[in-house]
Amino acid sequence: MKLDAKIPQGPLAEKWTNYRSSVPLVNPANKRNLEIIVVGTGLAGASAAATLAELGYKVKAFCFQDSPRRAHSIAAQGGINAAKNYQNDGDSTHRLFYDTIKGGDFRAREGNVYRLAEVSANIIDQCVAQGVPFAREYGGTLSNRSFGGTQVQRTFYAAGQTGQQLLLGAYSGLERQVGIGNVKMYSRHEMIELVVIDGKARGIIARDLVTGKLERHFGHAVLLCTGGYGNVFYLSTNAMGSNVTAAWKAHKKGAFFGNPCFTQIHPTCIPVSGHYQSKLTLMSESLRNDGRIWVPKKQGDNRHPNDIPEEERDYYLERRYPAFGNLVPRDIASRAAKERCDAGYGVGSSKMAVYLDFRYNMVNKYGRAEASKKGIENPSEDVLVALGREVVKEKYGNLFDMYKQITDEDPYEVPMRIYPAVHYTMGGLWVDYELQTTVPGLYALGEANFSDHGANRLGASALMQGLADGYFVIPYTIGNYLSKEIHTKAISTDHEAFVAAEKAASDRINQLMKIQGNKSVESYHRALGLIMWDKCGMARNEKGLNEAIQEIRALREDFYKNVRVPGKIEEFNPELDKAGRVADFLELGELMCLDALNRNESCGGHFREEYQTEEGEAMRDDDKYAYVAAWEFANDSWNMHKEELHFENIKVQQRSYK
């Protein structure tokens, strides 16, 4: 099958404008007869459902939480990128486009990324109009801060809770449409099967998570906005319920999976504290904007961090990458932290952490600035720290409070201890320029698709992509498909395809319930996560990946012999829900390892130990691997298809932040 990305013709800066001017439209009267299913109600799903309903389509929205307000989008902390150049520091649409392509190590499409940069400014205007309380400067203008991989300040933020505030904005728009009857909301419902009729997505099978009953739902089109699959690693920064099930069921019905091995490791997470820990907590990357990362220069130095003098501290990111310093992209910062810890310079009881220190900036940046404003001459260091603390608290206070609650250490007084952890997935369902998968009528938005971030996502770009897809892309692109569906009447859910899909879903559930082994679902998830982290995590190699594939297959075989799912089917049964999700992770994990094994290069978050420079940097192979790996599931195995990447507007070169 030849993959057609459907990138419009013409100059890069005019592609999206020309597309919008020529794409077929659906008139308002016909929109009222077209039904759209939206699965997932985070930023991408809520914005898409609200916007499509506003346009007049009939929308059904499904979320497995009790409310869209609990979507994992609320966990995003640091900010959202937009090329508005408020700081007048040289930013532009093209610079945001270039930073994103470079940050993704030249493994993303030019057309999609430029469109993302182009519509970014509109997102800010939309959210301000909704009342999102972005931080502002004293004069009232919106404030910006820096993020990794850039040399400009383009990140808009709301303290350390940007995702929550943006989601509340999208949620308010969604609930308005629910209230006036344009959106029918199904909370506590999980999609567990895709219905395909005559080669087109025509609905879903959903499970009511309260009663356990299966339901059939028709739609002229289906939008998957279900987030990423980072929880395949068990320990991650994702909410514990985050899963791959909806996307995986679509994959097994014909939707290709793009670049599954491209997973992102976030450099600023609170380190693992114990074997039975089930969740990791993120400290926003925005902290690297004002904090400094370091380790002791002496191996095994056990002194209290405040007792280690300045000259005995190794600010290793500033030393290795002077042009960007602490603001290098996430993949580089994560590998650098791992290298220092592996070399014996780690801190804390586990020695698997580095310091993120704010005291320097509280004293030398904010403290002196505040002292000057207040007219204090020759202030002591204690006064400077106190003055600086107030500014830091205003910008990052909730993050500092969260850190103290978890670690019982005050980050105003001692440096934070951080270590990399699984965070985001750049891979996802393959989509074209219109966000349509290889199954006609099935779309994937936000983190559920692979399209915009290449091999590494820059910080503050996840919120940008989710809202761009929902507010400004899908309302146009879905018209190209639905304009040809206006004569299609609603298909009865008694259709044989619905019956077969429900039976397949029911059979899987019954299979899990009948095993009645002696091992918990959680134990299998933890075992899978350990395999994935050790052999397909921050670093991979051929030997480890081959071992991981065999170990995952053996674990999956044992799962279907010995897992125990308590309770009953037709009742509230979170263990049964979890079992289905872990079963999907056990298949996805194998595909991720196959993809990583196939890509004999290092790029972004995919770091093969065999392919690195003498300085330990990623070594790409553009001649052989400048493509998207799109995996097709057929006959119980996977076939890889290639979408070649072509760079006509930027020069592909070895990535450098020095």
Side-chain angles (χ1 to χ4, degrees):
M1 177 179 178
K2 181 176 174 56
L3 294 171
D4 181 8
K6 299 181 185 175
I7 305 297
Q9 298 297 312
L12 183 66
E14 298 175 14
K15 290 182 185 295
W16 181 233
T17 300
N18 292 340
Y19 177 92
R20 288 184 298 160
S21 301
S22 58
V23 67
L25 301 175
V26 180
N27 81 48
N30 286 330
K31 287 175 182 173
R32 292 193 289 270
N33 298 319
L34 294 171
E35 300 180 47
I36 299 174
I37 289 174
V38 178
V39 183
T41 51
L43 281 181
S47 59
T51 306
L52 293 170
E54 185 77 33
L55 288 173
Y57 294 107
K58 296 163 64 177
V59 177
K60 292 181 178 180
F62 294 80
C63 75
F64 71 76
Q65 299 95 347
D66 57 354
S67 166
R69 291 180 61 178
R70 294 187 182 275
H72 186 57
S73 299
I74 67 167
Q77 299 167 342
I80 176 171
N81 289 330
K84 293 182 82 72
N85 196 30
Y86 275 16
Q87 307 295 321
N88 198 28
D89 55 1
D91 201 10
S92 66
T93 297
H94 189 274
R95 191 174 294 276
L96 175 53
F97 154 72
Y98 178 76
D99 286 345
T100 305
I101 290 280
K102 177 184 176 183
D105 220 350
F106 303 95
R107 291 293 178 262
R109 285 191 202 127
E110 282 191 340
N112 284 67
V113 176
Y114 193 90
R115 176 179 65 188
L116 177 65
E118 186 178 352
V119 304
S120 65
N122 297 334
I123 298 172
I124 304 304
D125 296 338
Q126 167 86 5
C127 294
V128 169
Q130 289 176 330
V132 173
F134 286 121
R136 294 180 180 269
E137 302 294 347
Y138 180 75
T141 58
L142 296 181
S143 182
N144 292 119
R145 58 189 176 201
S146 303
F147 251 69
T150 71
Q151 291 179 307
V152 297
Q153 295 186 71
R154 64 162 67 102
T155 304
F156 296 78
Y157 64 97
Q161 51 182 250
T162 313
Q164 179 177 352
Q165 298 303 330
L166 291 173
L167 183 62
L168 288 173
Y171 170 76
S172 65
L174 173 60
E175 287 303 304
R176 175 177 178 271
Q177 295 301 322
V178 171
I180 60 181
N182 294 338
V183 173
K184 185 171 177 59
M185 175 62 67
Y186 293 85
S187 60
R188 288 291 189 185
H189 279 67
E190 182 170 29
M191 171 188 157
I192 57 173
E193 191 60 83
L194 178 71
V195 178
V196 178
I197 300 176
D198 297 330
K200 297 180 179 180
R202 291 302 192 192
I204 66 171
I205 304 299
R207 183 167 181 267
D208 184 325
L209 299 181
V210 176
T211 67
K213 295 185 182 300
L214 299 182
E215 300 176 1
R216 307 172 190 176
H217 295 275
F218 164 78
H220 289 88
V222 177
L223 276 56
L224 300 186
C225 311
T226 50
Y229 49 88
N231 273 355
V232 69
F233 291 89
Y234 186 69
L235 284 178
S236 81
T237 66
N238 290 266
M240 291 180 66
S242 297
N243 63 82
V244 75
T245 289
W248 196 248
K249 299 311 183 194
H251 171 57
K252 297 186 79 171
K253 279 294 185 73
F256 289 8
F257 214 104
N259 295 335
C261 78
F262 285 171
T263 53
Q264 180 173 78
I265 312 297
H266 197 293
T268 54
C269 295
I270 299 177
V272 176
S273 59
H275 174 67
Y276 288 99
Q277 189 169 345
S278 56
K279 174 79 173 66
L280 294 177
T281 303
L282 173 70
M283 288 287 101
S284 170
E285 184 181 20
S286 63
L287 296 174
R288 292 199 283 147
N289 179 39
D290 287 317
R292 300 181 76 193
I293 295 174
W294 63 277
V295 293
K297 289 183 178 180
K298 178 183 175 182
Q299 290 180 326
D301 193 333
N302 293 320
R303 286 178 291 175
H304 190 281
N306 291 348
D307 294 334
I308 301 176
E310 187 75 10
E311 62 273 13
E312 295 183 34
R313 301 180 178 190
D314 178 16
Y315 295 96
Y316 58 89
L317 290 178
E318 299 171 37
R319 169 172 56 81
R320 292 178 59 178
Y321 308 99
F324 281 73
N326 296 298
L327 291 177
V328 293
R330 291 174 173 177
D331 59 322
I332 292 177
S334 294
R335 284 197 297 275
K338 181 179 186 296
E339 184 276 329
R340 287 289 81 191
C341 292
D342 290 348
Y345 296 93
V347 301
S349 58
S350 67
K351 300 301 180 185
M352 297 300 289
V354 299
Y355 288 129
L356 175 55
D357 197 343
F358 272 75
R359 187 177 178 85
Y360 173 88
N361 270 349
M362 280 198 284
V363 173
N364 292 285
K365 182 178 179 180
Y366 296 123
R368 296 191 190 282
E370 288 297 294
S372 177
K373 278 199 291 186
K374 296 179 184 298
I376 301 174
E377 298 181 4
N378 302 319
S380 67
E381 183 174 287
D382 290 340
V383 173
L384 290 174
V385 169
L387 292 170
R389 179 187 299 224
E390 293 306 311
V391 181
V392 171
K393 185 175 182 180
E394 184 177 334
K395 296 179 72 172
Y396 307 108
N398 64 307
L399 298 174
F400 278 55
D401 294 342
M402 188 190 309
Y403 184 88
K404 185 174 182 180
Q405 288 173 356
I406 293 172
T407 66
D408 198 29
E409 296 177 359
D410 186 351
Y412 292 108
E413 301 294 337
V414 297
M416 291 182 180
R417 287 175 292 107
I418 59 169
Y419 192 72
V422 173
H423 179 56
Y424 187 89
T425 53
M426 285 75 66
L429 293 180
W430 184 91
V431 294
D432 58 23
Y433 189 74
E434 297 180 336
L435 306 184
Q436 187 169 220
T437 70
T438 49
V439 177
L442 177 67
Y443 295 79
L445 282 64
E447 194 179 354
N449 73 38
F450 87 100
S451 66
D452 291 357
H453 306 298
N456 174 64
R457 177 178 67 80
L458 292 184
S461 289
L463 304 182
M464 175 174 63
Q465 185 206 353
L467 291 180
D469 287 355
Y471 281 138
F472 298 108
V473 177
I474 197 65
Y476 287 100
T477 63
I478 201 170
N480 192 30
Y481 175 78
L482 291 179
S483 64
K484 304 176 186 65
E485 295 294 318
I486 57 176
H487 299 296
T488 301
K489 303 299 182 183
I491 298 174
S492 169
T493 55
D494 291 330
H495 188 283
E496 60 184 4
F498 279 94
V499 175
E502 182 179 332
K503 183 179 185 303
S506 178
D507 288 347
R508 284 196 307 271
I509 292 171
N510 282 306
Q511 179 188 13
L512 291 171
M513 292 298 298
K514 287 177 181 178
I515 298 169
Q516 291 300 301
N518 55 11
K519 297 181 182 178
S520 69
V521 175
E522 192 84 355
S523 68
Y524 285 100
H525 195 180
R526 184 181 286 110
L528 173 64
L530 190 60
I531 296 170
M532 295 299 297
W533 178 251
D534 287 345
K535 297 177 179 178
C536 194
M538 288 179 66
R540 301 104 183 253
N541 58 58
E542 183 179 7
K543 178 177 181 292
L545 289 167
N546 277 314
E547 290 174 351
I549 291 169
Q550 297 306 316
E551 290 172 13
I552 292 170
R553 288 173 178 171
L555 185 66
R556 187 166 66 237
E557 183 178 351
D558 189 76
F559 174 85
Y560 282 104
K561 290 180 179 178
N562 295 310
V563 73
R564 178 177 177 81
V565 181
K568 299 178 181 178
I569 294 176
E570 292 196 349
E571 66 179 11
F572 178 68
N573 190 344
E575 284 300 301
L576 176 57
D577 308 336
K578 189 190 303 181
R581 297 164 190 167
V582 172
D584 294 331
F585 280 142
L586 284 165
E587 295 180 356
L588 168 67
E590 180 179 346
L591 179 59
M592 291 171 66
C593 293
L594 286 170
D595 189 40
L597 187 62
N598 175 76
R599 190 172 284 275
N600 294 317
E601 65 165 351
S602 291
C603 58
H606 169 66
F607 192 74
R608 284 283 295 270
E609 293 175 336
E610 308 96 322
Y611 305 99
Q612 56 182 303
T613 66
E614 292 182 1
E615 296 81 21
E617 304 295 343
M619 184 184 293
R620 294 195 325 268
D621 186 344
D622 297 325
D623 292 336
K624 296 181 180 178
Y625 295 99
Y627 62 75
V628 176
W631 294 86
E632 175 189 19
F633 183 81
N635 301 319
D636 292 326
S637 63
W638 289 282
N639 302 313
M640 191 191 74
H641 303 262
K642 296 180 182 179
E643 179 202 337
E644 301 291 341
L645 294 171
H646 303 284
F647 298 94
E648 302 171 357
N649 298 275
I650 59 174
K651 180 182 178 182
V652 178
Q653 56 193 331
Q654 191 63 34
R655 198 169 47 144
S656 175
Y657 293 92
K658 297 183 176 181

